[in-house]
Structures are given as C-alpha cells and as structure tokens.
Amino acid sequence: MKGDIVTGSPFKGERLEEIKKFLGNCGICYEEGIEYTAVLRNEEGIRACASVEGNVIKCVAVSENLRGEGVLWEVLSAVVSHLQRQGINRYFLYTKPEYRQIFKDMMMYPVCETKNVLLMESQRDGWRKYLEELKRETALQRKEMGAASSRERIGAIVLNANPFTVGHQYLVREAAKKCDELHLFVLSSENGMFTAAERMEMVRRGTRQIPGIILHGTSDYLVSPATFPEYFHKDVKSAKAANTELDLVMFGREIAPALGIGMRFVGTEQADEVTRSYNEQMKELLPEMGIEVVETERLQLPEVGTVSASKVRKWLRQGDFARVWECVPKENQEYLKEIVNHTGEKRGI
C-alpha cells in the first residue's frame, strides 16, 4: 500500500517535526517560509513529501524503496493543484539533480544545475526567453542613450533598493566610473515594503544623471525565491546554510556572457550575515567564470553611520523623516513622499 495524501497549510507541531525528520533522513532541510505541504503517508509513516513557497516547489523527497512507484507524481500533483487554486500557473521546482528525469517526465524543464541543486520550471522556454528579453532591453536602451565609443568594460550590480538610498546611488556612481556600460538588475520579488515597480522607478530616478546605465528586472532568475531563497529569510542559521551557488552560476554562465558583462560590483557588508555570505561566495566563484568582483566600501554619513535601506525602513515606520531624507537621494524624495501619503498606512508607515 502506497498510502494517502495529507496536506497542511503549513503543518505545525508534531506533524511538522515528523516532516523535518523525514526530510533530514533524505538529506534535505525543511525551509522557513513554506506555505503548504503535501505528504503521502501509510502505516509506516511519511513516505513522500513536497512543499510550496510562493511559486516555488521545494523540499521534495520520497522514500528510497518507493522511487519509481509514482509516489512523487502524487505529492507533486497535490502541490500543483494547490498552486493552480491560487491562480499560479507558472512555477519552479527546487530539487536534487538525481530527480531530473523523473520530473522531466512530469513536464518540468531544467533551468540550471549545480552539484547539489537542480532548478526546473513549468514553462518550456522561460529561461531562454528571459535571456532574450535582457538582450532586447539592452539594445533598446543603448539606442536611447546613443552609440557608445567603447563597450570594452561592462559591469553589473544586483540590488533590491527597498528603498533606493544615497548608499545605492554612491555604489552605482563609483561602479560607473570603472565601466563603459553598467547593468542594474532590480529584484522583481514582491517581498518588501515597496513593490517591484516602485523600486524600479526609484532606481530609474536616482540614476538618471549617471551615464551608461541599463536597467533590468530580475524576474524569477536572479536573487529570487527560486534561485536564492535564503535571501528572503535572513537569519544566522540561513546564512550558514545558504546555497548561493545556483544563483551565481546562472549569472556567471548565462546572464553575464549574454550581455558581455565582465565585472560585478557589490558593497561591503558587515551587518547582514546572508548578504555577506553571498558576497564571499561570489568572490570565490565568479572569477572562475571570468568575472571580476569589485567590492566598494559602503557610504558613511556623520549622523547615520553606514547607510542602509533597512535603517530607512525603520525610520519610515518610526516617522523619523529627518533621517529618512538624509539617506534618500533628492531625486527620489518627492516620489517617496507620494507613496507614503497615498499608501503609507497599509505599509506600517
């Protein structure tokens, strides 16, 4: 007997501990942020498991003696049905490389693979289409800027900009001095105080006077819940367990060559354990792919210390706008005031 499907949104207490133990025996850690789980269980206990966070299927495992018995199909069908009930028809799967063929047979398509992690998606050509869109965006923005005399030095920054600060602006200015063209990738995830569209507009306004800037959204393929889930659950435990290789490999092997990027710029990081771990792995992995990593000291202000978006969010919640305006570029202040005046209460401001 294979067993019955049981679901939780999510499981708690003893059932959650049982799931964690089952995953641990399969070499998988249960991740914070999981919203829904389907397990197949019989008189022997849990035999298979799959979970969902946002549009990402993760923590997928099956008992070794039931592999090839269609058990994974049953739990995957349960979580896919859940996603479809939420109106989510495009989703990702975060699993082990050994499950590649099983999930290909279930109409999931490989995006990127490392030694320990395989990322798949439900859309056949999603990754290829994103790379093509990056090229189209680049060509259009280059045309708007006018022909450059040289594009030998092309760099990139990936930023959340939640919100965009004078610290971000400083990093962009310093990077632009070293580049003929600088690509800014603004996170597309909707997990912060400000929406992706608002953050993109802040970056656009705050960098308008800096030459050679090209803007992109990251979609689901760069510092996203699919490629780097630990970024959105920041604590010391996550930092120690963070597997950033998948995200960096996607950038280094695919995105950078597609756009001719040879440099990646980051700010120094002391307070945020997860970001610091990411930066350290970046300095280790990207040079192996021919990409120079350039680290810039974070901007310091006399009354503020190190400028950070997290400080600005704290001061927004506290209503300390004098400090907020000290850390937000003048080009963005009116736009931020509009957001606060219209929807501040909903955001806890």
Side-chain angles (χ1 to χ4, degrees):
M1 175 183 175
K2 291 181 183 177
D4 300 313
I5 295 291
V6 183
T7 62
S9 301
F11 286 107
K12 297 179 181 179
E14 291 182 4
R15 285 192 170 186
L16 175 58
E17 293 307 311
E18 186 183 9
I19 291 169
K20 289 181 177 179
K21 182 178 179 180
F22 172 75
L23 289 172
N25 291 337
C26 297
I28 299 172
C29 293
Y30 184 87
E31 295 185 18
E32 298 300 322
I34 282 174
E35 302 161 356
Y36 181 89
T37 297
V39 299
L40 185 143
R41 61 183 305 131
N42 59 22
E43 66 277 1
E44 297 179 22
I46 296 175
R47 315 311 295 158
C49 176
S51 296
V52 168
E53 179 186 359
N55 68 337
V56 182
I57 300 170
K58 56 175 64 175
C59 295
V60 178
V62 62
S63 295
E64 191 170 350
N65 64 336
L66 289 179
R67 292 180 186 178
E69 298 294 323
V71 171
L72 272 179
W73 173 255
E74 293 189 40
V75 291
L76 186 67
S77 295
V79 296
V80 168
S81 295
H82 166 77
L83 288 168
Q84 291 173 340
R85 289 193 297 270
Q86 308 303 309
I88 300 171
N89 295 305
R90 177 170 174 255
Y91 43 87
F92 291 80
L93 173 69
Y94 198 77
T95 188
K96 290 184 174 183
E98 63 200 67
Y99 294 147
R100 169 189 276 263
Q101 190 58 51
I102 293 174
F103 289 116
K104 281 186 72 176
D105 293 342
M106 297 180 188
M107 303 303 289
M108 295 296 293
Y109 302 97
V111 176
C112 184
E113 181 178 338
T114 67
K115 181 180 178 180
N116 300 310
V117 176
L118 170 64
L119 180 67
M120 307 181 82
E121 64 177 322
S122 59
Q123 183 176 331
R124 181 189 291 272
D125 296 320
W127 177 225
R128 179 183 60 80
K129 289 176 179 177
Y130 175 66
L131 293 174
E132 290 175 352
E133 180 62 22
L134 292 180
K135 293 176 184 178
R136 282 194 295 271
E137 289 173 345
T138 299
L140 179 61
Q141 292 178 63
R142 281 175 176 173
K143 185 177 180 180
E144 292 172 351
M145 289 188 295
S149 58
S150 171
R151 291 197 182 94
E152 295 179 2
R153 302 173 302 164
I154 300 178
I157 300 174
V158 180
L159 64 166
N160 194 4
N162 185 38
F164 188 76
T165 68
V166 292
H168 293 116
Q169 192 178 55
Y170 172 77
L171 175 62
V172 173
R173 287 188 189 280
E174 291 302 302
K177 293 175 184 177
K178 300 177 175 68
C179 297
D180 302 309
E181 182 175 277
L182 181 62
H183 293 254
L184 304 183
F185 293 86
V186 183
L187 268 59
S188 298
S189 177
E190 300 286 5
N191 287 30
M193 178 179 284
F194 300 96
T195 68
E198 288 166 346
R199 290 183 284 106
M200 178 65 81
E201 181 60 23
M202 291 179 197
V203 175
R204 191 185 313 279
R205 292 178 183 227
T207 61
R208 193 172 287 159
Q209 302 305 315
I210 303 174
I213 299 297
I214 292 182
L215 298 179
H216 308 284
T218 59
S219 186
D220 292 294
Y221 299 108
L222 192 57
V223 189
S224 75
T227 65
F228 185 13
E230 293 87 357
Y231 182 84
F232 302 92
H233 306 295
K234 293 185 176 181
D235 54 40
V236 175
K237 183 179 178 181
S238 293
K240 291 178 179 177
N243 180 358
T244 61
E245 184 180 7
L246 180 70
D247 188 87
L248 292 169
V249 166
M250 291 176 71
F251 177 84
R253 290 186 186 167
E254 301 282 354
I255 293 175
L259 302 177
I261 293 168
M263 292 181 284
R264 175 100 174 242
F265 295 88
V266 296
T268 53
E269 184 57 64
Q270 299 299 325
D272 189 319
E273 294 276 355
V274 173
T275 302
R276 186 165 72 232
S277 175
Y278 181 62
N279 289 353
E280 290 303 314
Q281 291 190 52
M282 185 188 305
K283 287 186 281 188
E284 179 181 339
L285 294 175
L286 289 189
E288 296 176 358
M289 304 176 210
I291 300 166
E292 179 186 1
V293 177
V294 181
E295 195 169 32
T296 300
E297 285 292 329
R298 298 273 292 275
L299 180 66
Q300 305 275 333
L301 295 179
E303 300 299 321
V304 173
T306 303
V307 177
S308 72
S310 60
K311 288 181 179 179
V312 174
R313 293 195 300 273
K314 180 183 74 173
W315 294 329
L316 281 168
R317 294 188 185 99
Q318 294 173 347
D320 191 348
F321 288 96
R323 284 190 169 184
V324 169
W325 303 138
E326 193 172 351
C327 293
V328 172
K330 292 180 180 179
E331 300 92 330
N332 284 15
Q333 291 182 9
E334 285 302 318
Y335 182 63
L336 185 54
K337 287 176 185 176
E338 289 177 19
I339 294 173
V340 171
N341 290 337
H342 286 91
T343 61
E345 188 173 345
K346 294 179 181 178
R347 305 166 197 247
I349 301 175

